[in-house]
Amino acid sequence: MKQMAPVPRQKPLLPELTPQAELALLCRLLYAEGYDDHIAGHISSKQADGSLLVNPWELAWDELGASDIVRVDQQGKVIEGHWNVTPAINLHLEIHALRPDVGVIIHNHSRFGTVWANAQRVPPVYDQTSAQVNGELLLFDEYNSAVNAASEGEKCARGLGQAKWALLANHGVLVVANDIRQAHLRALTLEWRCRQAWHVEALGGGRAIRDEVVEQFGGMVDGNGFPFLWEAMARKEIRRDPAVLE
């Protein structure tokens, strides 16, 4: 009997990453997608012990590395790290308290997401990539003050309900997810959707994908994850700047 050749062992798609390195990579990748309003914006990643890893207030998302990530307790007090935490940490604390299913929260003033938030309109879904995530894109249609105000943070948290994402009128975007990989997919899909819709409408408009098709396709992709997408984009950033892991 002819002996079969052994199946070659696949190489790991990514090196083993610490939670801090994952968060630093997420910040870098989303900056490249348009989440680049100077030093604005914050991401939290809930850990098994209940603490949160958060990007530092002082650094832009494209420059930080794993060692810059800050850890805070359930009251928002820094317990690990050399930087300060955003004054808007209350938004994260409120959402994490109300939504035990949420592992990652993203808030920023993304380039095209903020255009639609300022217009107080929800962008249609015009293409397949924009349909990678299903579910209603909420619009909070009033802006009273920054989300670091206790009343506004609580209002956003309660207004989000069980939704995955929202546009904050005259402000920016809010995305929640189970983990880093899902957060990456949802945040990049939101900005892609907003960008593509802006371009289509600049041409005079187009025919949006039917809601039931978006729901079916988005449920499949968002529910199962986009295979290899997070890994490919993370490898790209590591090649560009290996210091992100330090």
Side-chain angles (χ1 to χ4, degrees):
M1 180 182 295
K2 185 178 180 181
Q3 187 175 5
M4 295 180 64
V7 177
R9 183 176 297 176
Q10 291 184 336
K11 294 181 179 180
L13 294 175
L14 279 175
E16 187 173 350
L17 300 174
T18 65
Q20 289 85 349
E22 286 188 329
L23 183 52
L25 279 166
L26 180 60
C27 289
R28 297 273 194 111
L29 298 184
L30 293 186
Y31 186 93
E33 295 285 347
Y35 290 71
D36 58 358
D37 181 9
H38 306 91
I39 64 167
H42 25 90
I43 303 178
S44 65
S45 177
K46 185 169 65 176
Q47 302 303 295
D49 63 357
S51 66
L52 300 178
L53 297 181
V54 186
N55 62 292
W57 188 17
E58 295 92 337
L59 302 180
W61 284 18
D62 67 329
E63 65 174 329
L64 59 85
S67 61
D68 295 312
I69 299 300
V70 177
R71 186 188 300 269
V72 301
D73 63 18
Q74 296 180 24
Q75 287 71 48
K77 179 182 177 182
V78 174
I79 55 176
E80 182 182 305
H82 307 291
W83 300 100
N84 293 303
V85 68
T86 171
I89 190 64
N90 67 292
L91 172 66
H92 298 260
L93 300 177
E94 294 279 1
I95 295 176
H96 282 297
L98 290 172
R99 294 276 302 271
D101 60 304
V102 168
V104 178
I105 301 170
I106 301 167
H107 169 60
N108 205 318
H109 317 141
S110 62
R111 211 175 298 173
F112 283 88
T114 304
V115 169
W116 288 91
N118 290 346
Q120 299 191 25
R121 293 176 54 196
V122 175
V125 176
Y126 284 117
D127 66 294
Q128 178 175 288
T129 302
S130 300
Q132 291 179 139
V133 179
N134 62 336
E136 181 185 5
L137 175 54
L138 297 183
L139 172 64
F140 295 165
D141 59 0
E142 61 179 82
Y143 177 74
N144 298 310
S145 65
V147 293
N148 60 295
S151 59
E152 290 303 301
E154 182 180 1
K155 185 186 300 182
C156 285
R158 295 193 179 279
L160 184 66
Q162 295 302 306
K164 302 174 180 179
W165 47 10
L167 300 176
L168 310 182
N170 307 112
H171 192 156
V173 304
L174 180 65
V175 178
V176 301
N178 296 329
D179 53 31
I180 292 286
R181 179 194 300 270
Q182 189 178 68
H184 173 246
L185 174 67
R186 289 181 177 179
L188 73 83
T189 299
L190 177 57
E191 185 64 4
W192 178 282
R193 172 177 168 179
C194 291
R195 182 170 61 247
Q196 295 302 108
W198 189 92
H199 287 305
V200 170
E201 298 216 353
L203 289 173
R207 179 179 296 177
I209 299 176
R210 299 194 312 275
D211 290 344
E212 60 269 25
V213 175
V214 174
E215 188 63 30
Q216 181 181 18
F217 183 73
M220 177 183 67
V221 177
D222 185 51
N224 298 320
F226 195 119
F228 316 126
L229 174 61
W230 158 256
E231 290 86 355
M233 297 301 98
R235 288 196 307 272
K236 182 178 181 180
E237 180 59 27
I238 293 170
R239 289 194 303 272
R240 191 190 71 83
D241 182 12
V244 66
L245 303 181
E246 298 175 359

